[in-house]
Amino acid sequence: MTKYTYLLIDFFSISVPFLVSFHPKSGLYKHWYALLPAIIVTSLFYLVWDSWFTSMGVWGFNSTYITGIHVGNMPLEEILFFVCIPYACVFTFDCLIRVIPENVLSKSSPFISYTLIGLCIIIAAIYRNNYYTASAFGLLALLIFAAYYKKVRWLGRFYIIYIILLIPFTIVNGLLTGTCLDAPVVWYNPDHIIGARILTIPIEDVFYGMGLLLINTWIYQRLRYGKNHSASAIAG
């Protein structure tokens, strides 16, 4: 049963959001035409990155907790991660953005964006030889800059929702990195991370996950609402 640990984490992460997607108040299933391409495009990018770093030993997978089914050097469970987690996160975003006022953080959103961009650039520069640190922080800086430059109107609400998502994030990533387990499901090379952790979770995962959700959400909103994926359209 232990070898199904990562698979079960994937399953339980998506099971409730998937089932509730069919509830009339959610109706997310009606918008799979926008969500599935977002997940596919983003997961392809992240899986290439994932496979590359796995081959370099930046991170790896504990054979005790996976089924042993691989596509290339990627465990099946890791591939499913990039489907299950984005689905659950975009589902949460889709639900919460309807109840969070459009103008929330409207004044402070630019300050938050500038702060995050600056922070990410500084950390990526300082730890430029740590491959995971530099790439995770560098990519997020680029994504936030692009979102701010393109005047993405839901960015302020995205920041709030991501803070809320850090609760399930801590549970899922905590399990994957060894919280409550004898060993981590996913291990990280200490030469390529800062070393700061939330429980057992490398701090890089917080910013890596933020970039993952931002790309998924951006593509989803763009495909669902078109060029004018404005807050009013989302609220409607």
Side-chain angles (χ1 to χ4, degrees):
M1 195 64 184
T2 306
K3 68 179 182 179
Y4 297 109
T5 299
Y6 195 175
L7 198 60
L8 288 172
I9 291 172
D10 285 337
F11 173 77
F12 285 115
S13 297
I14 196 174
S15 55
V16 173
F18 179 79
L19 292 174
V20 180
S21 295
F22 296 94
H23 190 281
K25 288 189 176 181
S26 168
L28 182 61
Y29 75 93
K30 298 176 183 176
H31 309 294
W32 282 356
Y33 69 89
L35 178 55
L36 295 182
I39 290 175
I40 291 171
V41 170
T42 309
S43 64
L44 286 175
F45 171 74
Y46 270 78
L47 281 169
V48 170
W49 180 8
D50 199 336
S51 176
W52 180 31
F53 274 21
T54 299
S55 67
M56 293 196 302
V58 176
W59 54 53
F61 308 94
N62 190 331
S63 59
T64 303
Y65 297 116
I66 58 178
T67 57
I69 302 172
H70 287 73
V71 177
N73 64 346
M74 287 289 93
L76 172 64
E77 296 86 345
E78 181 72 353
I79 295 171
L80 293 176
F81 174 91
F82 290 103
V83 176
C84 298
I85 301 304
Y87 189 100
C89 289
V90 174
F91 166 82
T92 306
F93 177 91
D94 200 57
C95 293
L96 292 179
I97 200 168
R98 304 177 191 183
V99 298
I100 297 176
E102 177 185 348
N103 60 353
V104 70
L105 293 184
S106 58
K107 293 183 178 178
S108 54
S109 179
F111 173 76
I112 296 172
S113 298
Y114 285 135
T115 301
L116 279 172
I117 292 169
L119 177 68
C120 287
I121 290 175
I122 291 171
I123 293 177
I126 293 174
Y127 294 97
R128 57 188 176 279
N129 294 323
N130 296 12
Y131 291 165
Y132 186 26
T133 309
S135 59
F137 282 90
L139 176 63
L140 183 60
L142 183 64
L143 289 170
I144 294 176
F145 174 79
Y148 183 74
Y149 178 76
K150 296 295 288 184
K151 297 181 171 58
V152 172
R153 294 178 59 182
W154 41 264
L155 196 56
R157 288 183 286 179
F158 173 84
Y159 292 142
I160 293 175
I161 293 170
Y162 190 66
I163 290 173
I164 296 171
L165 281 169
L166 287 178
I167 297 171
F169 163 89
T170 302
I171 297 171
V172 171
N173 277 48
L175 288 169
L176 290 177
T177 54
T179 300
C180 300
L181 296 175
D182 294 332
V185 178
V186 181
W187 55 262
Y188 294 87
N189 185 331
D191 291 338
H192 294 294
I193 57 176
I194 296 173
R197 292 177 181 263
I198 301 172
L199 298 176
T200 53
I201 306 167
I203 194 68
E204 287 84 350
D205 275 11
V206 176
F207 296 86
Y208 175 93
M210 191 174 188
L212 175 66
L213 178 57
L214 183 54
I215 299 177
N216 273 286
T217 304
W218 199 343
I219 298 174
Y220 168 71
Q221 296 288 357
R222 179 68 174 77
L223 293 177
R224 180 171 172 182
Y225 296 105
K227 288 184 179 178
N228 299 317
H229 49 119
S230 64
S232 57
I234 293 166

